[in-house]
Amino acid sequence: MELVVSRTHEHKLKYQLIFLTSLISFLFSLVLIQGTSLVFTIPFFYLCFMCGYQAIMSYAIGTIIAVVGFNTPIEVLYISGICFVVLEFCQFFHSMKASYIPYFLTLITGVFYAYYQIEILTTLLLTILTYVNIMIFIKLPPFFVHNQTHLLTHERIKALSIVVLICMMSLLSYSREVTMILIRVFILVMIYHKCLNDLLPSLFYGALFMLLMSVGYKDDILSFLIPLFFFYMVNLKSKWTIVCLYLLAHLTLPFFVDFSYMYHGIIVSISAVVFLLIPISSHKLVLSSSYEEMTLKQQITKQVDSFCHLFEQMTSLFNQAPAHNHKLEYVGYIYEDMCQDCSSCHTCFNQQYGPNRLVKLMNKGLKEEYTKDDLHFINQYCLKPKQYIESLAMYQKDYNKINRIQQEYQTMRKDLYQQFSLLNDVFNRFSTQLQIGHIEEKHIYEHLQGYHFQITHLKKYYETQSIYYLEIGLYETTKEEIENELIPILETYLNESLDLHTLQIPMHQLGYTYVVLKHQTRYFLQYGVSQCSKEPVACGDSYTMFMMNENHYFALSDGMGQGQKASDDATLTLDVIKQLIMNGISLSDTIQSVNALLRIKNRNDMFTTLDMIEVNLVLGSATLLKYGACPTYIIRNHQVIEIKSKSLPIGIVSPLTISTEKEKLIENDIVIMISDGFTQDFELFLKENEYLIDNDHPKEIAQLLMHLASHGDTNDDMTIIVLKLCKQ
């Protein structure tokens, strides 16, 4: 990828472009179809025009050498010059779009064919072939300008194959045997790189031109096309196996062509030897997704979909269901103990107050305390009022206990349902990403096309997880349009900032323009941590720090108590938080998930504090979450800003109310996070010692503040984290 190009490499690319365009234009000028080479030279002129003035000058050099030294018809220079002058005139007055150039060049050459040719059918054929060649070469400017292998796609491989075949055809009038040897060597190289599917259309197209040059090449064309069908039957990896099959495949030629053992034997043998001798890299030629990669992706997608289905089934097991009401059962127990064997069971109820009011009072007594009227009614109408009240009080305790357990069970079911739903969302998101594959570039491409940008090349590269480059090649644009239109459109679409890293416009607005946009963080964090533990075995405070995309996370957790148990609890909390966020779970869902897991794990016997800050390194903004944690302090321009929040530690109540604080940080802000081991007024402590904090590294600041705050008397675990926002 051409991102930071050294001057040496830049000169090398320039010289390569000059040499290639000069050589190709020279060879194209030698290939005459019906007495003219414009069928090839004008399409190549279009390619050079898109690549810039250096390529146009190289094109002119190549054609001049062909005209002067090899008797190429001079109209090649005339028509090319006319095309250049008219296109420059259109550029100067901004009167033509790049998409119109193929039609314009075809029109000029069509007029020329009509003027010099007698038969109208020949004129029509040459005009169509010129237009088709232009549309083939339209895909090649990015590769010619940058000469990078990552730009090779299947379409460009086909176009380059046609270029190579036409160059070889220029030797036909000088040495038929050498041309056929070169074509066969080229075929073997493409087979070795597994590009036979891309090569075959180019061979058929090139064969058309050979027949237009002379019908006598029919047997030569068949002699290199027929053996290719054998290579579709087997998959060969080494040079030797390819050559063996290549030689065997030619045994079929005597059945189809006028076979000459001397002529064909020499051509086939020499091409096989040359192929074996030339060094060929085993590196894959085309970098787009292969069939094998797609098959593997489909297998993984199928497995992930299976997991999604599994988690959906498991999630349904914990879905909310109506809680069973045990009140009627307990009323039945009381009735059996008190009323079933009572002599007044059927006569003691006062019909004035409705049927069975004593039973209704049993129901009421399970949920709440009796009023004076209720007690009066019981004493008046029940034969054993004291036993009635005592039995009800006994069963009420059991009922409340069962009811509390049931509520706790329902809460746990709800928490488990949320966690399985969260996991199910992760698998569904991963499955969707696998099904989409690497089409993020396609989305950007389609979006820009919707704004009528003529994109010919678009590639996205990641330098790190949070830094990437967009490499774009396009036609018909200016520097002002890129800065004022293209970049703002992409920033809005991606919701990310983009900086213009590289801009190359070798021509005016009609030529090929090369742009590299960079997305990177504009800030970075320096940090330092200092801890002091009450017990030498372990510190009950735990902390973690990690990055996800362009966000930097710092979290501090204090487990209940001191020592190893508190350390394990706090470490577990932070480790789960880190893993969930790193797997794409949102901050709020992560906190709810950890809270539910802590409640399920120890049934309210375990809770930890959580002090967490998320710093966006592009915007410089901070999001703070505090659950049972101490305030966070920001030192800005020698002023101390306190940020605090009153909330319970996680692992106590469910669901947890998500409480966040937003703060816009500026360069050189110092953020200080502390655990609850600091018993003194830390804000006052910072104000008294702020003068000691200068431009030191946060690690030194953390050690200094810990030394000043501890005084050698450690009543609890203490941790201090110091962050400093710095500009890139």
Side-chain angles (χ1 to χ4, degrees):
M1 177 183 172
E2 186 184 344
L3 293 177
V4 181
V5 182
S6 64
R7 290 192 175 275
T8 304
H9 185 56
E10 188 177 357
H11 290 313
K12 181 181 178 181
L13 290 175
K14 185 187 300 182
Y15 295 144
Q16 286 177 349
L17 178 64
I18 293 173
F19 174 76
L20 283 175
T21 50
S22 300
L23 177 63
I24 294 173
S25 61
F26 166 70
L27 295 176
F28 276 17
S29 300
L30 300 179
V31 183
L32 302 180
I33 303 294
Q34 299 296 320
T36 180
S37 61
L38 289 175
V39 177
F40 308 112
T41 53
I42 291 302
F44 191 68
F45 167 80
Y46 164 81
L47 174 61
C48 294
F49 186 83
M50 289 297 166
C51 293
Y53 290 110
Q54 291 179 345
I56 293 175
M57 186 171 295
S58 304
Y59 168 86
I61 293 173
T63 52
I64 289 172
I65 294 174
V67 169
V68 173
F70 293 85
N71 298 322
T72 297
I74 197 169
E75 63 263 16
V76 172
L77 289 177
Y78 292 156
I79 301 301
S80 300
I82 292 172
C83 292
F84 176 75
V85 171
V86 176
L87 287 177
E88 282 294 299
F89 179 82
C90 293
Q91 285 206 116
F92 183 78
F93 290 99
H94 297 273
S95 58
M96 180 178 288
K97 294 184 177 181
S99 58
Y100 298 159
I101 295 180
Y103 306 106
F104 177 75
L105 296 179
T106 304
L107 177 63
I108 293 178
T109 51
V111 172
F112 171 79
Y113 297 147
Y115 181 77
Y116 277 94
Q117 299 296 328
I118 299 174
E119 297 181 2
I120 189 170
L121 186 62
T122 304
T123 300
L124 183 61
L125 175 63
L126 294 179
T127 304
I128 292 173
L129 290 175
T130 304
Y131 173 75
V132 172
N133 286 338
I134 294 176
M135 298 311 293
I136 292 173
F137 292 172
I138 202 172
K139 304 176 181 68
L140 294 177
F143 181 77
F144 271 76
V145 171
H146 309 301
N147 195 17
Q148 300 288 320
T149 55
H150 70 264
L151 295 173
L152 282 177
T153 62
H154 291 290
E155 293 298 322
R156 291 192 179 119
I157 285 288
K158 293 175 184 177
L160 282 174
S161 299
I162 293 173
V163 170
V164 173
L165 289 172
I166 295 172
C167 290
M168 292 177 180
M169 287 161 52
S170 64
L171 303 176
L172 275 173
S173 58
Y174 301 99
S175 176
R176 183 174 179 174
E177 293 78 8
V178 172
T179 304
M180 294 305 159
I181 290 173
L182 291 178
I183 290 177
R184 281 173 165 78
V185 172
F186 177 64
I187 291 172
L188 289 171
V189 171
M190 296 296 282
I191 292 173
Y192 180 74
H193 283 296
K194 302 185 186 306
C195 294
L196 186 57
N197 289 331
D198 298 326
L199 174 64
L200 201 58
S202 304
L203 286 175
F204 284 122
Y205 190 63
L208 171 65
F209 290 114
M210 292 181 65
L211 291 175
L212 288 174
M213 294 174 69
S214 174
V215 182
Y217 295 131
K218 176 177 63 68
D219 285 345
D220 288 301
I221 293 171
L222 289 175
S223 67
F224 65 70
L225 284 179
I226 291 175
L228 292 182
F229 295 102
F230 287 85
F231 289 94
Y232 278 99
M233 309 304 295
V234 290
N235 184 20
L236 304 175
K237 296 182 179 180
S238 67
K239 280 186 173 184
W240 287 102
T241 55
I242 291 174
V243 167
C244 289
L245 182 60
Y246 170 74
L247 295 174
L248 291 173
H250 283 81
L251 296 177
T252 60
L253 291 185
F255 297 95
F256 302 101
V257 301
D258 186 10
F259 190 79
S260 170
Y261 287 96
M262 179 63 70
Y263 173 73
H264 290 97
I266 293 175
I267 291 175
V268 172
S269 301
I270 293 178
S271 59
V273 172
V274 172
F275 171 70
L276 289 173
L277 293 178
I278 59 175
I280 305 176
S281 171
S282 60
H283 181 66
K284 192 175 180 181
L285 194 59
V286 182
L287 302 181
S288 56
S289 297
S290 65
Y291 173 77
E292 292 81 4
E293 291 171 343
M294 291 298 296
T295 303
L296 178 60
K297 186 193 297 183
Q298 290 168 358
Q299 292 175 353
I300 297 175
T301 304
K302 186 176 180 181
Q303 292 177 349
V304 173
D305 287 339
S306 176
F307 273 109
C308 288
H309 181 65
L310 172 64
F311 271 97
E312 286 176 359
Q313 292 178 322
M314 297 177 68
T315 302
S316 64
L317 297 176
F318 294 97
N319 202 353
Q320 291 286 21
H324 179 64
N325 193 341
H326 297 277
K327 285 189 295 183
L328 295 180
E329 295 179 9
Y330 276 87
V331 170
Y333 298 153
I334 299 171
Y335 184 83
E336 289 176 359
D337 290 349
M338 291 292 304
C339 305
Q340 189 173 11
D341 299 327
C342 180
S343 59
S344 301
C345 179
H346 301 291
T347 61
C348 69
F349 297 106
N350 191 332
Q351 298 299 321
Q352 180 182 356
Y353 298 97
N356 305 330
R357 186 179 172 189
L358 282 174
V359 178
K360 292 181 180 180
L361 285 174
M362 292 178 189
N363 193 355
K364 180 179 179 181
L366 289 172
K367 298 186 295 183
E368 55 186 272
E369 298 296 330
Y370 287 133
T371 64
K372 291 182 179 181
D373 291 339
D374 296 332
L375 293 174
H376 176 72
F377 186 88
I378 294 171
N379 287 319
Q380 183 177 1
Y381 293 103
C382 184
L383 295 180
K384 301 176 182 179
K386 184 177 180 181
Q387 185 180 354
Y388 181 101
I389 295 173
E390 289 177 352
S391 296
L392 193 66
M394 180 184 67
Y395 280 105
Q396 185 188 43
K397 291 180 181 179
D398 291 340
Y399 172 78
N400 289 336
K401 189 179 297 182
I402 292 294
N403 195 41
R404 187 170 61 251
I405 292 173
Q406 187 181 43
Q407 289 178 351
E408 205 171 297
Y409 171 71
Q410 290 297 324
T411 302
M412 187 179 298
R413 282 171 60 96
K414 182 179 178 181
D415 290 339
L416 286 172
Y417 173 74
Q418 291 175 345
Q419 301 317 304
F420 279 113
S421 298
L422 199 62
L423 290 172
N424 190 35
D425 291 341
V426 173
F427 277 106
N428 279 323
R429 190 183 303 116
F430 184 45
S431 177
T432 303
Q433 290 174 349
L434 282 174
Q435 291 172 2
I436 292 175
H438 300 287
I439 64 171
E440 187 177 6
E441 297 167 359
K442 181 181 178 182
H443 286 159
I444 299 173
Y445 179 84
E446 292 175 349
H447 186 73
L448 291 178
Q449 277 194 323
Y451 284 90
H452 303 290
F453 286 102
Q454 297 191 39
I455 308 298
T456 184
H457 163 65
L458 192 147
K459 198 75 175 175
K460 190 174 185 179
Y461 303 87
Y462 280 91
E463 183 176 301
T464 64
Q465 195 176 27
S466 59
I467 301 176
Y468 66 81
Y469 297 88
L470 271 179
E471 187 181 61
I472 305 173
L474 66 165
Y475 298 137
E476 197 176 316
T477 188
T478 61
K479 180 180 179 182
E480 291 74 20
E481 289 176 345
I482 290 172
E483 293 176 344
N484 301 327
E485 296 180 23
L486 185 138
I487 295 178
I489 287 171
L490 282 175
E491 287 182 331
T492 303
Y493 176 66
L494 299 172
N495 195 26
E496 293 175 336
S497 61
L498 294 170
D499 299 323
L500 183 59
H501 186 275
T502 303
L503 176 61
Q504 295 179 4
I505 306 179
M507 289 285 294
H508 296 300
Q509 78 275 6
L510 291 181
Y512 174 78
T513 299
Y514 176 63
V515 184
V516 176
L517 303 176
K518 183 178 182 180
H519 169 75
Q520 64 178 343
T521 55
R522 296 175 178 174
Y523 301 93
F524 68 94
L525 285 175
Q526 294 179 344
Y527 61 89
V529 182
S530 182
Q531 283 189 309
C532 185
S533 59
K534 181 179 180 180
E535 297 183 5
V537 178
C539 180
D541 298 340
S542 291
Y543 67 91
T544 187
M545 57 197 72
F546 58 94
M547 289 194 68
M548 179 62 178
N549 297 330
E550 56 199 27
N551 295 318
H552 207 159
Y553 295 88
F554 291 83
L556 175 61
S557 180
D558 184 4
M560 184 176 62
Q562 296 91 26
Q564 190 64 48
K565 175 65 168 59
S567 176
D568 293 343
D569 293 346
T571 302
L572 171 66
T573 301
L574 297 183
D575 187 55
V576 173
I577 288 174
K578 176 180 177 180
Q579 296 303 323
L580 289 175
I581 292 178
M582 293 291 287
N583 281 283
I585 307 300
S586 67
L587 201 55
S588 59
D589 287 340
T590 295
I591 300 302
Q592 292 288 8
S593 177
V594 172
N595 180 69
L597 289 173
L598 293 181
R599 283 176 51 79
I600 294 170
K601 181 178 183 294
N602 280 9
R603 301 288 295 275
N604 296 338
D605 293 332
M606 171 187 175
F607 61 87
T608 63
T609 66
L610 177 64
D611 191 2
M612 190 170 185
I613 182 171
E614 174 195 73
V615 181
N616 187 293
L617 299 179
V618 174
L619 304 176
S621 59
T623 302
L624 296 92
L625 293 90
K626 293 186 171 295
Y627 295 98
C630 296
T632 295
Y633 302 92
I634 299 176
I635 300 178
R636 178 182 298 160
N637 298 327
H638 304 287
Q639 300 293 322
V640 178
I641 303 171
E642 184 183 50
I643 301 175
K644 57 184 178 181
S645 175
K646 294 182 179 179
S647 57
L648 293 172
I650 57 176
I652 296 179
V653 297
S654 182
L656 194 65
T657 302
I658 301 297
S659 176
T660 60
E661 299 288 335
K662 302 284 187 177
E663 185 71 26
K664 182 67 174 73
L665 302 179
I666 63 175
E667 187 180 0
N668 295 323
D669 274 359
I670 296 176
V671 181
I672 299 176
M673 304 166 63
I674 59 172
S675 65
D676 59 3
F678 295 89
T679 56
Q680 56 185 304
D681 186 343
F682 202 80
E683 182 180 10
L684 179 61
F685 169 74
L686 282 179
K687 290 179 179 179
E688 292 175 350
N689 296 281
E690 190 275 331
Y691 70 95
L692 298 174
I693 301 173
D694 195 6
N695 292 323
D696 296 333
H697 193 277
K699 185 181 294 186
E700 299 175 353
I701 297 174
Q703 293 174 352
L704 173 64
L705 294 178
M706 179 63 74
H707 174 73
L708 295 174
S710 61
H711 297 296
D713 183 16
T714 306
N715 296 321
D716 196 0
D717 299 320
M718 296 189 296
T719 301
I720 181 169
I721 300 177
V722 181
L723 315 175
K724 185 175 183 180
L725 187 70
C726 303
K727 197 85 170 179
Q728 288 279 17

